[in-house]
Amino acid sequence: MAYGIPADLVDDHLAMGESQAIMCVKRFAVGIVQVFGEEYLRSPNAEDAARLLAMNKARGFPRMLGSIDCMHWSWKNCPKACHGQFHGQKKGSTIILEAVADQETWIWHAFFGMLGSLNDINVVNRSPLMNKIANGELPLVSL
């Protein structure tokens, strides 16, 4: 998983077939969700939002939940058919990660998959997080 290589590339090294390697990765992902999902793989609830607002207000940033950023990550194994869409600002293909984190480095939102050819403004315009904000789908918090 860490190297982003096809499942059948490690057949000889791991002495298992492609389908077995894929099944192991799926089991690993399900295990991560079962163990950590309730606490870490979720959006902030009203209690979390109130705590973040209080913490940021004390630091001089009233009404701020976290910091949003868009990062262009190099995509070494981009398929040739997608290369034009994912061609980043620099050499090679990139994929964009949009993330929101607080000062404790708790990641409250992460979204991969935007085309590397987009700039940050276009990413924010297509962001599922910004859609939730615009549609009023976030938890209500009294200030």
Side-chain angles (χ1 to χ4, degrees):
M1 281 188 338
Y3 298 111
I5 58 176
D8 62 349
L9 193 64
V10 293
D11 290 355
D12 297 331
H13 180 69
L14 298 177
M16 66 172 71
E18 177 183 3
S19 61
Q20 184 69 24
I22 290 171
M23 186 188 71
C24 289
V25 169
K26 285 181 181 179
R27 281 186 171 176
F28 176 76
V30 167
I32 292 295
V33 170
Q34 287 175 346
V35 173
F36 299 107
E38 202 172 302
E39 179 69 20
Y40 295 104
L41 303 176
R42 62 178 175 79
S43 296
N45 57 30
E47 181 182 305
D48 295 325
R51 181 179 58 78
L52 289 169
L53 287 170
M55 196 168 23
N56 286 324
K57 185 177 181 180
R59 298 185 73 193
F61 296 101
R63 304 183 74 157
M64 182 177 131
L65 285 175
S67 176
I68 188 167
D69 193 17
C70 299
M71 296 161 272
H72 292 257
W73 283 23
S74 179
W75 188 8
K76 186 179 99 183
N77 296 328
C78 179
K80 293 274 187 214
C82 299
H83 184 74
Q85 294 173 319
F86 288 90
H87 188 74
Q89 299 164 340
K90 298 179 182 170
K91 273 184 158 180
S93 298
T94 60
I95 193 165
I96 297 175
L97 165 66
E98 173 195 66
V100 176
D102 62 20
Q103 64 268 19
E104 296 174 337
T105 64
W106 189 303
I107 298 172
W108 291 105
H109 166 77
F111 179 64
F112 270 106
M114 289 290 175
L115 305 174
S117 59
L118 297 175
N119 61 22
D120 290 353
I121 298 294
N122 291 327
V123 171
V124 170
N125 284 337
R126 298 174 185 196
S127 165
L129 177 66
M130 294 302 158
N131 287 336
K132 284 182 180 181
I133 292 170
N135 296 329
E137 297 173 6
L138 297 177
L140 295 175
V141 177
S142 59
L143 298 173

